[in-house]
PDB file of all heavy atoms in Angstrom:
ATOM      1  N   ARG A  17      48.906  81.741  86.656  1.00 41.00           N
ATOM      2  CA  ARG A  17      48.371  83.069  86.905  1.00 41.00           C
ATOM      3  C   ARG A  17      48.767  83.616  88.264  1.00 41.00           C
ATOM      4  O   ARG A  17      48.597  84.794  88.540  1.00 41.00           O
ATOM      5  CB  ARG A  17      46.833  83.046  86.817  1.00 41.00           C
ATOM      6  CG  ARG A  17      46.318  82.752  85.419  1.00 41.00           C
ATOM      7  CD  ARG A  17      44.843  83.115  85.325  1.00 41.00           C
ATOM      8  NE  ARG A  17      44.048  82.330  86.259  1.00 41.00           N
ATOM      9  CZ  ARG A  17      43.424  81.206  85.953  1.00 41.00           C
ATOM     10  NH1 ARG A  17      43.515  80.715  84.733  1.00 41.00           N
ATOM     11  NH2 ARG A  17      42.718  80.546  86.861  1.00 41.00           N
ATOM     12  N   GLY A  18      49.332  82.763  89.112  1.00 42.00           N
ATOM     13  CA  GLY A  18      49.733  83.218  90.433  1.00 42.00           C
ATOM     14  C   GLY A  18      48.568  83.466  91.366  1.00 42.00           C
ATOM     15  O   GLY A  18      48.693  84.220  92.328  1.00 42.00           O
ATOM     16  N   GLU A  19      47.419  82.850  91.094  1.00 44.00           N
ATOM     17  CA  GLU A  19      46.254  83.074  91.941  1.00 44.00           C
ATOM     18  C   GLU A  19      46.335  82.200  93.188  1.00 44.00           C
ATOM     19  O   GLU A  19      46.991  81.161  93.212  1.00 44.00           O
ATOM     20  CB  GLU A  19      44.965  82.756  91.169  1.00 44.00           C
ATOM     21  CG  GLU A  19      44.754  83.668  89.955  1.00 44.00           C
ATOM     22  CD  GLU A  19      43.496  83.285  89.203  1.00 44.00           C
ATOM     23  OE1 GLU A  19      42.883  82.263  89.550  1.00 44.00           O
ATOM     24  OE2 GLU A  19      43.139  84.026  88.272  1.00 44.00           O
ATOM     25  N   GLN A  20      45.623  82.606  94.238  1.00 41.00           N
ATOM     26  CA  GLN A  20      45.532  81.840  95.463  1.00 41.00           C
ATOM     27  C   GLN A  20      44.257  80.996  95.396  1.00 41.00           C
ATOM     28  O   GLN A  20      43.148  81.530  95.389  1.00 41.00           O
ATOM     29  CB  GLN A  20      45.504  82.753  96.696  1.00 41.00           C
ATOM     30  CG  GLN A  20      46.765  83.556  96.889  1.00 41.00           C
ATOM     31  CD  GLN A  20      47.946  82.656  97.171  1.00 41.00           C
ATOM     32  OE1 GLN A  20      47.804  81.601  97.767  1.00 41.00           O
ATOM     33  NE2 GLN A  20      49.125  83.082  96.733  1.00 41.00           N
ATOM     34  N   PRO A  21      44.373  79.693  95.311  1.00 42.00           N
ATOM     35  CA  PRO A  21      43.156  78.859  95.194  1.00 42.00           C
ATOM     36  C   PRO A  21      42.365  78.877  96.496  1.00 42.00           C
ATOM     37  O   PRO A  21      42.919  78.988  97.585  1.00 42.00           O
ATOM     38  CB  PRO A  21      43.728  77.463  94.914  1.00 42.00           C
ATOM     39  CG  PRO A  21      45.101  77.498  95.501  1.00 42.00           C
ATOM     40  CD  PRO A  21      45.592  78.911  95.328  1.00 42.00           C
ATOM     41  N   ASN A  22      41.065  78.738  96.360  1.00 40.00           N
ATOM     42  CA  ASN A  22      40.199  78.705  97.538  1.00 40.00           C
ATOM     43  C   ASN A  22      39.215  77.546  97.447  1.00 40.00           C
ATOM     44  O   ASN A  22      38.015  77.704  97.595  1.00 40.00           O
ATOM     45  CB  ASN A  22      39.447  80.022  97.700  1.00 40.00           C
ATOM     46  CG  ASN A  22      38.648  80.360  96.452  1.00 40.00           C
ATOM     47  OD1 ASN A  22      38.716  79.623  95.475  1.00 40.00           O
ATOM     48  ND2 ASN A  22      37.888  81.438  96.513  1.00 40.00           N
ATOM     49  N   GLY A  23      39.755  76.398  97.134  1.00 38.00           N
ATOM     50  CA  GLY A  23      38.913  75.213  97.130  1.00 38.00           C
ATOM     51  C   GLY A  23      38.106  75.097  95.866  1.00 38.00           C
ATOM     52  O   GLY A  23      38.627  75.034  94.758  1.00 38.00           O
ATOM     53  N   ALA A  24      36.785  75.124  96.003  1.00 37.00           N
ATOM     54  CA  ALA A  24      35.906  74.867  94.873  1.00 37.00           C
ATOM     55  C   ALA A  24      35.896  75.979  93.857  1.00 37.00           C
ATOM     56  O   ALA A  24      35.381  75.814  92.760  1.00 37.00           O
ATOM     57  CB  ALA A  24      34.477  74.638  95.383  1.00 37.00           C
ATOM     58  N   ALA A  25      36.439  77.157  94.164  1.00 39.00           N
ATOM     59  CA  ALA A  25      36.467  78.252  93.198  1.00 39.00           C
ATOM     60  C   ALA A  25      37.315  77.926  91.989  1.00 39.00           C
ATOM     61  O   ALA A  25      37.195  78.579  90.959  1.00 39.00           O
ATOM     62  CB  ALA A  25      36.973  79.520  93.872  1.00 39.00           C
ATOM     63  N   LEU A  26      38.185  76.928  92.087  1.00 37.00           N
ATOM     64  CA  LEU A  26      39.031  76.582  90.950  1.00 37.00           C
ATOM     65  C   LEU A  26      38.198  76.012  89.812  1.00 37.00           C
ATOM     66  O   LEU A  26      38.401  76.332  88.655  1.00 37.00           O
ATOM     67  CB  LEU A  26      40.102  75.577  91.384  1.00 37.00           C
ATOM     68  CG  LEU A  26      41.099  76.085  92.433  1.00 37.00           C
ATOM     69  CD1 LEU A  26      42.022  74.972  92.850  1.00 37.00           C
ATOM     70  CD2 LEU A  26      41.890  77.249  91.863  1.00 37.00           C
ATOM     71  N   CYS A  27      37.344  75.103  90.123  1.00 40.00           N
ATOM     72  CA  CYS A  27      36.548  74.461  89.080  1.00 40.00           C
ATOM     73  C   CYS A  27      35.055  74.576  89.324  1.00 40.00           C
ATOM     74  O   CYS A  27      34.262  74.048  88.556  1.00 40.00           O
ATOM     75  CB  CYS A  27      36.917  72.976  88.973  1.00 40.00           C
ATOM     76  SG  CYS A  27      38.636  72.733  88.487  1.00 40.00           S
TER      77      CYS A  27
END
Side-chain angles (χ1 to χ4, degrees):
R17 294 195 299 265
E19 297 178 354
Q20 296 295 328
N22 56 357
L26 297 175
C27 297

